[in-house]
Every structure is written in structure tokens, then in C-alpha cells.
Amino acid sequence: MKYLKVDGDFHAIAPFDTFSYNRRMVTILFGIACIAFTVFACLPMGLGWNHEIILFLKGAAPVVAVFVGLIAILIGIADIRDRQEAKREEIENEKLKDEN
């Protein structure tokens, strides 16, 4: 058993934290419920939102494409900077080896 010292007193820590386990289970169940609702909403015999969802996806596609493009550009710039820094470090290491 592990103990935690708080304000000079030692408190036993349970080896299995039931609160975090319950919170994880609630999160997983909530995710499953959201997915089930989405499938139900898309079905014609369910809520019949399939046409509205398709319109939303058509409208959101260009916005998502812009954000994905910006992220790709930023990743590319970071990669170029990392390569330049690696080359500088390699040159500095070669100079240090030549001096020794």
C-alpha cells in the first residue's frame, strides 16, 4: 500500500482508484451514446436529418480544407526549420572534431 504525506499526516492511497475508473467508463458510455444518436439521426426512419447533415458537410468541407491546409503548411515550415537546425549542428560538430 502506498502512502501520501499531506500536512504532516500520512494517508493511504488505494491501489485502484475507483473514481477515475468510473469517470472513464462514463466518458466511454457517453461517446457510444453520441455515436448511436448520430446514426439514428441520419437514418431516414429515425429523425430523417440525412439531407441536412449532407448540406452541412458540403458547407463545412471548404472550411475544413482551409484549416487542414494551414496545418500542413505550418508542419512543413517546422520541418524545414528542424532540418536547417540539424545541418547547423552537424557543421558545428564537424568543426569541433577538426579542432581537436
Side-chain angles (χ1 to χ4, degrees):
M1 176 145 315
K2 294 183 179 181
Y3 293 93
L4 178 66
K5 186 175 184 179
V6 179
D7 297 329
D9 295 329
F10 287 96
H11 300 278
I13 299 174
F16 183 70
D17 188 8
T18 57
F19 178 72
S20 66
Y21 176 76
N22 289 338
R23 188 173 56 205
R24 278 185 250 139
M25 290 303 293
V26 168
T27 304
I28 290 171
L29 291 174
F30 179 74
I32 291 171
C34 285
I35 291 171
F37 173 75
T38 303
V39 170
F40 178 72
C42 291
L43 294 175
M45 62 233 163
L47 295 177
W49 291 358
N50 51 351
H51 299 294
E52 289 83 0
I53 291 172
I54 291 172
L55 287 175
F56 171 77
L57 291 175
K58 285 181 180 179
V63 176
V64 171
V66 167
F67 284 122
V68 169
L70 286 173
I71 291 170
I73 289 170
L74 293 174
I75 290 172
I77 290 171
D79 188 40
I80 291 170
R81 288 182 180 171
D82 288 342
R83 287 183 187 177
Q84 289 175 348
E85 186 177 336
K87 285 181 184 179
R88 277 190 227 128
E89 289 177 2
E90 185 178 320
I91 292 170
E92 288 176 9
N93 288 338
E94 288 178 6
K95 288 181 183 178
L96 289 175
K97 287 181 183 179
D98 292 340
E99 289 176 2
N100 292 331

